[in-house]
Amino acid sequence: AMLDHLKIWNDKPSRGRRGLSLIWMLFPSVVLVMMVTFMAVQFLRIDPDSATLSLSERMDLGRLAGEVSDNLPFMLLLVGLMMTGILMTLHIGLRPLRQISERAARIGPATIGERLSLRSSPKEITPLVVAFNGALDRLEAGLRAQQEFSANAAHELRTPLATLRAQVESLLTPDERKDAIEEFDRLSRLITQLLALAEADSGKDLGKAPFDLVEVARSLTSDMASTILASGRGISFESAHQRWDCYGTVALVHIALRNLLENAVRHTPPGSEILVSIEMQGQLAVNDDGPGVPQTVQNRLFQRFSKADTQSPGAGLGLSIIHRVMVLHGSEARLDPTYSGARFVLDFSQRGG
């Protein structure tokens, strides 16, 4: 997806070979200037000591070597002074470029509307700044189109889904109706999640506010306990803290935790135990003692439409939605190694943001 590519482009450090420093590029030029100056002094008879000598005598290699040897300390001092002057000039002259680089590094999916200022950029790099801003314009247009499509598609699906649900319920027997209602509920939640993420990715105000992670996790675990227990799995909650204050969007945190719990139920057999815990460093973990996640899919687990079990009814969006929620909170979701089962972690050690 374009959003994932934009994030990778913004976050991943360059792995290519770095270019030469301007200092090292200019050093040969300084040495060349010194050599040309020295030869000009000899050729034009500027030095009084060699003014009476013929051109062939002045250009004698032995004499030139002696002149270089006699004047070497002065020449080295001059080269050092010139390089110091160049270094200071570059440091001062490139300060606006460093400021532009810092501002460019802060541009991400949530701030894609920002642009680099032409007013503060040196004239020599104005074409580069213009080209960079143009690239951002094209990326923003594509990103907005993708977000609008997701939001519009989710909105358009709600009405026919509700109509279809009503028709199906009227045709099924009470025993058959239960499974159909559960599937419709799952589709309805997926649409709600897509709408929430489309709005979050749009760069609009996410309604962030302080919240207690312990209370949020305990409350949602309690709300889902009856459904999980009815499926034949056990569910429990524990916390190393009485409260863990965070800053973020509670609705999105609800989505992330609900997806993890539904994922645990879907991929564990009846009789499994699921544990939701708030750990000492503010990490929200969901552990289960099921079969775990195959090694072959762990690297792509949080990618969109990636599924550990290709036969499962899910669309492969749940974990990618969790990943996006945590990115919007300045943190990460990950799968931690464990001896048995699976252990998913939502890292709130930085308390959101």
Side-chain angles (χ1 to χ4, degrees):
M2 181 175 293
L3 189 62
D4 296 327
H5 292 316
L6 179 61
K7 181 184 182 300
I8 293 172
W9 164 77
N10 184 62
D11 294 343
K12 185 171 65 178
S14 173
R15 297 178 182 176
R17 183 178 178 182
R18 302 182 68 178
L20 292 174
S21 168
L22 287 175
I23 296 296
W24 293 112
M25 294 174 65
L26 291 173
F27 180 74
S29 300
V30 172
V31 175
L32 180 62
V33 168
M34 292 296 302
M35 293 176 60
V36 171
T37 302
F38 176 76
M39 297 303 297
V41 168
Q42 303 301 322
F43 186 79
L44 299 175
R45 301 183 181 184
I46 297 176
D47 184 4
D49 295 337
S50 61
T52 59
L53 301 177
S54 65
L55 180 60
S56 60
E57 291 174 331
R58 293 196 302 273
M59 295 295 108
D60 180 71
L61 293 179
R63 180 184 173 280
L64 290 176
E67 288 287 334
V68 171
S69 178
D70 294 340
N71 294 283
L72 185 59
F74 173 74
M75 295 172 67
L76 291 177
L77 176 62
L78 191 58
V79 169
L81 290 174
M82 292 176 66
M83 292 302 297
T84 301
I86 291 173
L87 180 62
M88 293 178 64
T89 301
L90 288 175
H91 181 75
I92 296 173
L94 294 179
R95 185 178 299 167
L97 184 59
R98 290 193 295 272
Q99 294 172 347
I100 290 174
S101 299
E102 291 171 358
R103 183 168 182 180
R106 292 194 296 268
I107 297 177
T111 56
I112 190 65
E114 293 187 12
R115 295 295 181 267
L116 301 182
S117 173
L118 290 174
R119 185 176 304 175
S120 60
S121 63
K123 292 182 179 180
E124 291 76 10
I125 66 168
T126 296
L128 177 62
V129 175
V130 171
F132 184 82
N133 285 341
L136 287 179
D137 289 338
R138 294 187 292 274
L139 282 171
E140 183 181 14
L143 181 60
R144 298 297 182 225
Q146 184 187 55
Q147 292 166 352
E148 289 175 5
F149 173 79
S150 299
N152 291 337
H155 273 298
E156 293 297 325
L157 282 172
R158 275 185 162 177
T159 300
L161 184 63
T163 303
L164 181 61
R165 174 173 179 167
Q167 293 176 350
V168 169
E169 288 182 4
S170 65
L171 296 174
L172 297 178
T173 63
D175 293 337
E176 298 172 329
R177 194 176 301 165
K178 180 181 178 181
D179 292 338
I181 290 177
E182 289 179 354
E183 189 64 22
F184 277 117
D185 287 341
R186 188 188 66 81
L187 288 174
S188 179
R189 284 196 301 272
L190 179 60
I191 291 173
T192 301
Q193 292 175 5
L194 289 175
L195 282 172
L197 281 179
E199 184 176 354
D201 287 338
S202 68
K204 298 178 182 178
D205 181 17
L206 300 178
K208 289 186 175 182
F211 67 92
D212 177 12
L213 181 65
V214 176
E215 177 58 30
V216 169
R218 181 188 290 115
S219 175
L220 183 59
T221 303
S222 177
D223 290 343
M224 295 187 64
S226 59
T227 302
I228 295 174
L229 292 173
S231 71
R233 284 85 174 168
I235 180 72
S236 57
F237 175 83
E238 62 182 33
S239 176
H241 300 273
Q242 290 296 319
R243 60 181 294 123
W244 186 263
D245 293 321
C246 294
Y247 184 77
T249 307
V250 175
L252 294 180
V253 176
H254 267 273
I255 288 174
L257 180 54
R258 177 180 289 274
N259 280 0
L260 280 183
L261 290 174
E262 291 178 347
N263 189 71
V265 171
R266 188 179 302 118
H267 295 286
T268 56
S272 300
E273 290 293 327
I274 300 171
L275 170 63
V276 180
S277 61
I278 306 293
E279 301 181 348
M280 188 60 66
Q281 300 300 320
Q283 297 168 333
L284 171 55
V286 176
N287 300 270
D288 66 64
D289 57 0
V293 181
Q295 187 72 32
T296 55
V297 300
Q298 289 184 9
N299 291 336
R300 55 181 175 86
L301 199 59
F302 290 96
Q303 297 177 7
R304 296 183 183 186
F305 305 108
S306 176
K307 298 169 63 177
D309 181 6
T310 56
Q311 303 301 319
S312 66
L317 289 173
L319 291 179
S320 66
I321 289 175
I322 294 169
H323 168 73
R324 186 68 195 130
V325 167
M326 296 308 295
V327 168
L328 290 170
H329 285 81
S331 190
E332 65 170 355
R334 64 178 183 268
L335 174 68
D336 277 358
T338 183
Y339 291 110
S340 63
R343 170 182 165 82
F344 286 91
V345 174
L346 307 182
D347 191 348
F348 284 94
S349 58
Q350 302 301 317
R351 299 180 183 269

